[in-house]
Amino acid sequence: MLDAIKVTEHLHWAEKDRAKKCVLSVMEKTVSPSQVYVDHWSSSSLKIPFSSSLVFPQKEEDKEGKRLKHSRYRQFKRAQRIVSTSAHRDVRPLLLIRSGNQGYGDISQSQLLHYSWPANNITILGSHVDLSPRPGNQPNRASQPRVRLPQLAKSSSDGENSMKKLCILTAIKPSNVESEKAKFFKSDFRYNPQFEYSNPASPQVLEKYSKASDCFLTQAVRIMELALYKYGSYEKFEQATGGSLLTKGRIRAHTKKYMEKEGCVGEIVVHLTDDLLSRASMTVVNGRPTLTINVSTAREQWLEGLLRHEIGTHYFRSINNSQQPWSSGDGRKKLGLKPVNPTEEGLASIHSVLFRRDPRLWRAALLYYTVHQAAHMSFAQLFHDLARFVHDPDTRWDYCVRAKRGQTDTSQPGCFNKDQVYLDGILKILRHREKIDFQLLTALGKVSYEDVERLRSLAVMENVRIPHFLQDLERYAEQLQKIMAVNQLTDEELQVLV
């Protein structure tokens, strides 16, 4: 009941009320210390956010030690000693707060400090709350309470409401993919799927994402042809640069190790699935930041890049954004901020290939090319066209579904153009790489690289989080130059295009 509760702050009582003071909260369920923390207090109210269960729990021996240390008997005996001796010395009783599974709540000071525990005749008659932490007893970085978690579904959106973005991606996901795939393969790849949707997107939404660009088509094709020239096929490129597919156990182990490196263990739920069109996604599920990883594409040499993409970029920029003046839609409009994309996905895509031995921009190039072709072809035509770059029918099917999602009759030309944002953002960032302050770009949150300098003086820089791979900017710049060279991109070319 009272075991394993984290001690937070001291209460300072008025001199006349020190006779019998103790704040206790009876808990129905045992929680770990990491599940309880105080966000911030004011003189009038306490706002107490609670985290739910951790992804990677503590070791059993650690839990047992805390149970012995904070047993109900020892807590009660200590409370008796406080009551009996408080009249003779300056007592600083402890605040024990509620368990982490109770969600957010506002408790007024009068409510908190005017309770009694009839069974033991302990009364609370408190005064004010002292916010100063105990000197010399600061928790280390790994155990510090984090800032209030943002709506991470915004991480791969264009800065609009996260629920709206989630609804769009849900609305354009066909509900009969497997049955249509069976028909398509049975027809020797000639049938054009007729997709159905449980809650279809409106025509206005589909129209917004229906226009494909050809601005970087030449660069996309060249990037893929260079890879084919070196490796012979996409499948050989994937095996040579990505390595073997990982088991679920190894994916979890690698993910935990990465989170330890970034100091965010316990903040993110990790979900593994094979039912995902993308390789991974960062969203909010049941109030928790959730990283979903597609196990069918998780390769040994690529997983670190995937984690830099989703956690080091999307998650950290969302965390940092939540404390900025432009964290709300109204704040963005007031400051006239540009859309976060293509910067958001471009930056994350660069981080996907950062530090790879051969940082080909293959995936971003293929997505860009596929969308462009889908706008002018039927599903079956697109599938056969992609054989130029991808031999495996299952892989081609996935790319075609991504480009054609939202359509019902795929015999007609048409596309969902969001996937062009990756290469678009990459090339724009590389074009201006020598002028961009990448640490500040991350610290400011969900902003375009074009807005960084004018927001510098308005930024709240306390508690911002910068991923480990951005600490050494000299090495980071070298990696950007390597990406340019491997993909045969030149500054002269990009200056003309961007």
Side-chain angles (χ1 to χ4, degrees):
M1 184 163 65
L2 294 177
D3 49 326
I5 304 176
K6 182 177 180 181
V7 174
T8 56
E9 305 285 352
H10 287 105
L11 298 180
H12 287 188
W13 305 96
E15 289 290 335
K16 63 179 181 180
D17 290 329
R18 282 187 179 147
K20 44 181 179 179
K21 309 299 185 303
C22 178
V23 181
L24 301 174
S25 176
V26 181
M27 300 169 59
E28 298 179 358
K29 184 176 180 181
T30 301
V31 296
S32 70
S34 58
Q35 288 178 282
V36 183
Y37 65 90
V38 173
D39 185 58
H40 61 279
W41 294 350
S42 67
S43 60
S44 61
S45 66
L46 295 177
K47 295 186 177 181
I48 309 176
F50 306 96
S51 62
S52 50
S53 60
L54 299 182
V55 181
F56 304 108
Q58 295 172 312
K59 297 180 180 178
E60 283 300 320
E61 55 267 30
D62 295 338
K63 293 181 179 179
E64 183 63 27
K66 289 183 174 59
R67 280 196 288 270
L68 292 174
K69 183 178 179 180
H70 298 287
S71 68
R72 186 189 313 176
Y73 174 77
R74 293 187 64 176
Q75 289 287 354
F76 179 67
K77 296 298 291 182
R78 186 169 185 272
Q80 287 182 318
R81 289 198 299 272
I82 291 174
V83 172
S84 64
T85 60
S86 59
H88 306 290
R89 58 187 177 87
D90 182 11
V91 179
R92 300 165 69 88
L94 304 175
L95 171 64
L96 306 179
I97 62 178
R98 296 186 301 168
S99 65
N101 58 1
Q102 291 177 292
Y104 286 83
D106 293 337
I107 305 176
S108 70
Q109 188 177 6
S110 60
Q111 287 176 316
L112 183 66
L113 302 182
H114 291 81
Y115 286 138
S116 64
W117 197 9
N120 295 279
N121 197 29
I122 298 176
T123 305
I124 299 170
L125 302 170
S127 178
H128 71 278
V129 179
D130 179 21
L131 303 185
S132 302
R134 180 182 300 174
N137 194 33
Q138 292 289 349
N140 58 36
R141 184 178 185 274
S143 62
Q144 278 184 321
R146 299 299 184 190
V147 296
R148 185 160 55 94
L149 298 178
Q151 292 295 319
L152 298 185
K154 293 182 181 179
S155 61
S156 57
S157 71
D158 58 2
E160 296 179 45
N161 181 270
S162 61
M163 182 58 69
K164 180 179 178 181
K165 178 257 181 182
L166 181 61
C167 289
I168 291 173
L169 294 187
T170 301
I172 64 171
K173 182 179 180 180
S175 59
N176 61 338
V177 170
E178 292 305 318
S179 61
E180 290 301 285
K181 181 178 181 179
K183 292 179 183 178
F184 179 73
F185 276 61
K186 188 176 181 180
S187 72
D188 195 25
F189 315 129
R190 292 187 175 87
Y191 169 73
N192 286 298
Q194 304 296 299
F195 289 134
E196 298 174 357
Y197 302 90
S198 300
N199 296 289
S202 68
Q204 292 79 8
V205 170
L206 295 177
E207 175 64 24
K208 178 181 177 181
Y209 294 98
S210 65
K211 301 296 187 296
S213 170
D214 63 356
C215 183
F216 304 117
L217 187 62
T218 299
Q219 288 68 37
V221 172
R222 186 174 69 221
I223 288 168
M224 291 187 288
E225 287 180 339
L226 287 170
L228 292 179
Y229 179 78
K230 180 173 181 178
Y231 295 97
S233 69
Y234 170 76
E235 289 73 21
K236 291 179 180 179
F237 160 76
E238 188 175 53
Q239 183 62 44
T241 64
S244 303
L245 290 171
L246 296 171
T247 63
K248 289 185 177 181
R250 291 189 66 192
I251 293 173
R252 291 188 183 278
H254 280 297
T255 302
K256 181 181 179 182
K257 184 177 180 180
Y258 181 85
M259 289 183 181
E260 289 172 345
K261 189 158 43 179
E262 297 291 17
C264 60
V265 173
E267 297 179 13
I268 303 169
V269 174
V270 178
H271 176 59
L272 305 182
T273 182
D274 56 6
D275 182 26
L276 195 67
L277 283 175
S278 59
R279 293 183 176 178
S281 67
M282 177 66 73
T283 55
V284 173
V285 178
N286 296 328
R288 290 297 308 273
T290 300
L291 171 62
T292 303
I293 299 176
N294 188 340
V295 296
S296 67
T297 61
R299 294 186 173 272
E300 187 175 14
Q301 303 301 321
W302 289 355
L303 184 60
E304 177 90 2
L306 181 150
L307 298 173
R308 285 194 297 266
H309 182 119
E310 300 295 343
I311 298 176
T313 310
H314 290 325
Y315 178 67
F316 274 18
R317 275 168 58 89
S318 292
I319 289 273
N320 294 338
N321 191 78
S322 66
Q323 68 177 14
Q324 302 299 343
W326 49 85
S327 60
S328 67
D330 289 341
R332 295 185 70 87
K333 290 178 182 178
K334 183 177 179 180
L335 292 168
L337 298 192
K338 295 181 181 298
V340 66
N341 268 325
T343 296
E344 178 75 18
E345 292 297 354
L347 186 65
S349 297
I350 286 174
H351 294 161
S352 292
V353 302
L354 205 67
F355 306 119
R356 281 189 190 174
R357 185 175 65 256
D358 190 353
R360 305 274 172 183
L361 297 170
W362 173 283
R363 182 168 173 79
L366 183 55
L367 288 170
Y368 190 96
Y369 175 84
T370 303
V371 168
H372 176 270
Q373 299 301 88
H376 303 90
M377 296 178 177
S378 68
F379 191 102
Q381 289 172 333
L382 177 63
F383 184 87
H384 290 289
D385 182 76
L386 292 186
R388 172 185 176 188
F389 300 110
V390 181
H391 295 161
D392 180 56
D394 289 294
T395 302
R396 271 189 283 163
W397 164 268
D398 289 342
Y399 276 94
C400 290
V401 171
R402 284 185 66 113
K404 285 289 187 178
R405 54 185 167 167
Q407 278 190 281
T408 300
D409 180 7
T410 65
S411 67
Q412 302 300 313
C415 70
F416 181 72
N417 69 11
K418 178 184 176 294
D419 283 343
Q420 287 195 320
V421 76
Y422 302 101
L423 186 63
D424 188 343
I426 290 171
L427 297 185
K428 287 178 178 176
I429 289 174
L430 291 177
R431 159 71 173 84
H432 298 285
R433 69 191 184 283
E434 295 180 356
K435 298 179 181 178
I436 296 174
D437 184 335
F438 286 97
Q439 288 185 342
L440 185 58
L441 178 60
T442 299
L444 295 181
K446 298 290 190 172
V447 301
S448 168
Y449 71 88
E450 297 172 273
D451 287 326
V452 167
E453 290 306 319
R454 72 186 187 91
L455 294 177
R456 184 186 293 268
S457 62
L458 302 175
V460 177
M461 298 301 290
E462 291 79 8
N463 301 316
V464 298
R465 299 169 71 175
I466 306 298
H468 73 281
F469 55 85
L470 262 175
Q471 301 298 330
D472 186 343
L473 289 178
E474 183 176 349
R475 187 183 179 211
Y476 185 83
E478 291 173 354
Q479 292 300 312
L480 296 187
Q481 188 58 45
K482 182 177 180 180
I483 293 172
M484 291 278 290
V486 167
N487 294 278
Q488 292 191 9
L489 299 169
T490 66
D491 288 315
E492 293 75 20
E493 178 183 31
L494 294 181
Q495 288 169 8
V496 173
L497 292 170
V498 181

